[in-house]
Amino acid sequence: MTTRIIGTGSCLPETVVTNDDLAKIMDTSDEWIRTRTGIRERRLVKEETTASLCEKAALRALENAGMTGEEIELIIVGTLTGDYVTPSTACQVQAGIGASRAAAFDVNAACSGFLFALHMAHAYLQAGIYQNALILGAETLSKIMDWSDRSTCVLFGDGAGAAILKRDVTGLVAFDLGCDGSRGQALSCKNRLNNNPLVSNPISLDFVHMAGQEVYKFAVSTVPGSIGKVLEQAGITPDDVSWFVLHQANVRILQAVAKRLKVSEEKFPVNLDHCGNISAASVPILLDEMNRNGKLKKGERIVLSGFGGGLSWGSALLEW
Ligand code: COA
């Protein structure tokens, strides 16, 4: 037995922010952003929250799977931008979709969050502890951006993606997860500082800092190796894979990975042109778009791969 994805869903905030919109409020241009990253526009929250995006994505995934919230036994949300320190986003989703039987918690593995949630849920299902799970990747990154730092804030967007998992005879085939904490400062955002009476630091809020070129080099050197490991575990080559559904950070990263694996870029679907980088949400939103557009055919081999903050990475091979 293994674990199969039986339904997908996603939700983007209503407000579209184009590169030209950003150029009106900071020193940037559509040309710079598009040519360096492939991003044309992104969605940013106004009234929406991480939990509200998750709830809509989860309900769409449940409908896609033909299930109800009451049937769900486990909920894991990959996020680094939950609305509360506690309750977790997963607990908010549990209440929002009426999944009263489900255990629910969040996992923070930044842009690899969906892959880590998938692996964790798979382990629970394979251990026979639960029969099904709802996993999500969701972010409202716009609240942790430094909107005076044009080198980071133009890259990211907000949104949520979901998948329903079930024990089945086909589905997930192989996994590779990894981290290099020694390089964590390349992409960082401090949590609230300690304000206890023993500490004299003033309270200050931090925002995302990124050494863009370092993260770029990390991605293009680590991701092909991670994908190579899952293919090796399955005894197949990149040519046997129909789709490489990668974290959407930069179109140039996708092109570089395709080149290293010696596969056509056409096997690397892209949605960062209209979504930007949504960290843990990128992979499940793209998977849902492909599912709803009828691009995924039963029996096709698909590689999922996430990478980013931590630094962390995770890849999975599955049969649709
Ligand atoms: N608009 C216009 N100019 C900008 C800009 C913006 N939004 N952001 C930076 N610049 C300028 C810089 O100030 C710099 O100007 P200078 O040469 O006069 O100093 C110039 O553009 C080049 O900046 P640099 O940071 O060297 O650009 P780059 O070629 O490395 O591209 C990234 C920047 C962020 C697009 C690229 O490094 C990248 O994609 N990295 C990976 C990041 C990523 O994907 N992170 C998430 C992983 S989960």
Side-chain angles (χ1 to χ4, degrees), residues 27-29 32-33 36-37 111 150-151 154-156 187 210 212-213 215-216 247 249-250 252-253 277 307-309:
D27 182 14
T28 190
S29 66
W32 192 95
I33 301 171
R36 303 266 173 153
T37 69
C111 309
R150 65 179 182 170
S151 68
V154 302
L155 306 174
F156 296 91
L187 179 44
M210 184 173 69
Q213 291 182 5
V215 176
Y216 183 89
H247 172 50
N250 186 318
R252 291 187 301 159
I253 294 177
N277 176 345
F307 50 88

Side-chain angles (χ1 to χ4, degrees), residues 226-268:
S226 176
I227 292 174
K229 278 188 190 165
V230 297
L231 300 183
E232 198 182 312
Q233 283 172 48
I236 62 171
T237 70
D239 290 337
D240 300 318
V241 175
S242 300
W243 300 107
F244 294 85
V245 180
L246 263 59
H247 172 50
Q248 301 284 297
N250 186 318
V251 78
R252 291 187 301 159
I253 294 177
L254 302 180
Q255 289 162 348
V257 174
K259 198 169 167 196
R260 294 226 180 166
L261 293 174
K262 299 191 175 62
V263 255
S264 159
E265 281 172 31
E266 282 172 17
K267 285 189 175 184
F268 286 69

